[in-house]
């Protein structure tokens, strides 16, 4: 193994709640000392995580323009002189952007390296950060554990295509998302797939996690592919469950998403 991949495999993570149910994450590269915040819902919990870890903030990687992902940018940037990386397509709506990125671009955090994946749907310019060597995905409000983001700016077809891009990532990828919504997502998913054994297993695991007061993320992409109904709209059983047997996957996805909105 070369030096770079060794360093990348040693990325360290701190996960913490912000606001009501947003997640803040710090990604630390011990090789260089670089530390990135993934999104900035509010400054204080990020500062607390930095203090607790002794890490120094070097970068802020933003997934999309919503205020519950960006409100802490100004304060954090001013205090730490951190570089702010954000989606090119939404840069005008995000404060203090230093580097605008889009699909296929590479973002480095010290010796760690992320590929930018464009995942429009929740917002039109949403991006996710995928660290292949460290096996990490920061999915913003595109993919949640056993759920996905509301389709606010894009179309269901667009969101489905974005989810397919994430579904292509290796099973061993640890997925971090923007919100702790897993319990409600599972209650909904069970209305569509009451007999999916992977979903039942995940439901049992989450029950234990909630009882223990621990976060339900990260999850592995392999588990999400088997248990997350929003990644399974092209499974004939899901189409049948929502009365759309034989219909295109994007249409099935749209129906599942619409049902979740009403749930
Ligand atoms: Zn959002």
């Amino acid at each position: 193994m070369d030096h770079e991949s060794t360093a990348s495999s040693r990325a360290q993570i701190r996960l913490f709640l912000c606001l009501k149910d947003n997640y803040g994450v710090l990604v630390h590269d011990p090789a260089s000392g670089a530390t990135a915040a993934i999104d900035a819902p509010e400054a204080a919990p990020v500062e607390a995580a930095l203090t607790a870890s002794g890490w120094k903030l070097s970068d802020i990687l933003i997934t999309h323009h919503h205020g519950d992902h960006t409100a802490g940018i100004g304060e954090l940037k001013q205090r730490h002189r951190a570089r702010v990386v954000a989606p090119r397509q939404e840069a005008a709506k995000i404060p203090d952007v230093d580097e605008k990125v889009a699909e296929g671009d590479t973002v480095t955090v010290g010796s760690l390296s992320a590929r930018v994946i464009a995942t429009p749907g929740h917002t039109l310019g949403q991006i996710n950060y995928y660290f292949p060597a460290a096996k990490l995905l920061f999915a913003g409000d595109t993919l949640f554990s056993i759920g996905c983001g509301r389709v606010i700016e894009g179309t269901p077809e667009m969101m489905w295509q974005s989810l397919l891009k994430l579904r292509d990532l290796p099973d061993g990828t640890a997925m971090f998302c923007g919100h702790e919504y897993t319990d409600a997502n599972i209650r909904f998913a069970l209305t569509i797939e009451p007999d999916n054994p992977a979903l039942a297993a995940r439901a049992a695991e989450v029950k234990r996690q909630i009882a223990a007061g621990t976060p339900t993320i990260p999850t592995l992409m392999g588990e999400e592919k088997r248990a997350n109904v929003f990644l399974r709209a092209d499974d004939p059983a899901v189409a049948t469950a929502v009365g759309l047997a034989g219909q295109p996957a994007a249409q099935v996805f749209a129906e599942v998403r619409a049902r979740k909105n009403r749930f």
Side-chain angles (χ1 to χ4, degrees):
M1 194 178 277
D2 66 25
H3 174 72
E4 189 177 339
S5 58
T6 302
S8 298
S9 67
R10 286 197 197 130
Q12 296 175 344
I13 303 284
R14 273 191 100 92
L15 176 72
F16 45 93
L17 279 170
C18 297
L19 304 171
K20 181 166 155 273
D21 52 30
N22 280 75
Y23 271 121
V25 191
L26 295 179
V27 182
H28 178 68
D29 172 32
S32 64
T35 302
I38 309 297
D39 284 332
E42 56 176 338
V46 178
E47 292 293 355
L50 289 166
T51 302
S53 58
W55 299 342
K56 207 178 158 339
L57 189 69
S58 54
D59 305 277
I60 302 170
L61 311 185
I62 299 296
T63 60
H64 67 296
H65 70 83
H66 286 159
D68 63 327
H69 295 255
T70 59
I73 294 175
E75 203 176 323
L76 291 169
K77 182 182 167 73
Q78 191 176 20
R79 188 168 306 162
H80 301 279
R81 296 192 171 86
R83 172 189 64 150
V84 178
V85 180
R88 175 179 303 280
Q89 207 177 327
E90 299 183 353
K93 298 176 182 171
I94 299 170
D96 301 315
V97 176
D98 296 302
E99 193 173 325
K100 303 168 189 175
V101 295
E103 170 78 22
D105 287 347
T106 296
V107 175
T108 56
V109 178
S111 67
L112 307 176
S113 182
R115 178 158 63 82
V116 173
I117 303 176
T119 58
H122 177 71
T123 64
L124 286 174
Q126 175 119 194
I127 59 172
N128 295 167
Y129 297 91
Y130 171 53
F131 291 74
K135 299 181 182 161
L136 300 170
L137 169 68
F138 297 97
D141 284 359
T142 301
L143 178 65
F144 299 130
S145 182
I146 320 297
C148 74
R150 278 178 188 266
V151 183
I152 297 173
E153 296 179 7
T155 64
E157 167 71 33
M158 191 185 276
M159 187 68 157
W160 171 241
Q161 293 303 325
S162 293
L163 292 172
L164 287 179
K165 288 162 87 173
L166 300 184
R167 198 175 72 175
D168 275 344
L169 299 178
D171 285 0
T173 307
M175 190 278 285
F176 292 80
C177 53
H179 290 271
E180 177 59 68
Y181 288 160
T182 314
D183 187 45
N185 289 341
I186 287 173
R187 280 188 278 116
F188 168 73
L190 284 168
T191 69
I192 310 282
E193 292 196 290
D195 301 322
N196 178 341
L199 177 58
R202 180 72 174 123
E205 180 188 34
V206 166
K207 204 172 172 184
R208 286 193 298 273
Q209 289 170 322
I210 290 171
T214 59
T216 65
I217 68 163
T219 56
L220 293 176
M221 282 306 297
E223 287 178 25
E224 292 297 322
K225 292 174 198 181
R226 290 191 293 275
N228 187 333
V229 67
F230 293 96
L231 294 177
R232 296 165 46 75
D234 53 356
D235 187 308
V238 173
T240 300
V242 297
L244 291 172
Q247 297 304 307
Q251 194 182 329
V252 175
F253 170 79
E255 173 62 19
V256 175
R257 187 56 257 185
R259 289 185 183 204
K260 175 67 167 65
N261 291 349
R262 298 192 297 265
F263 183 69

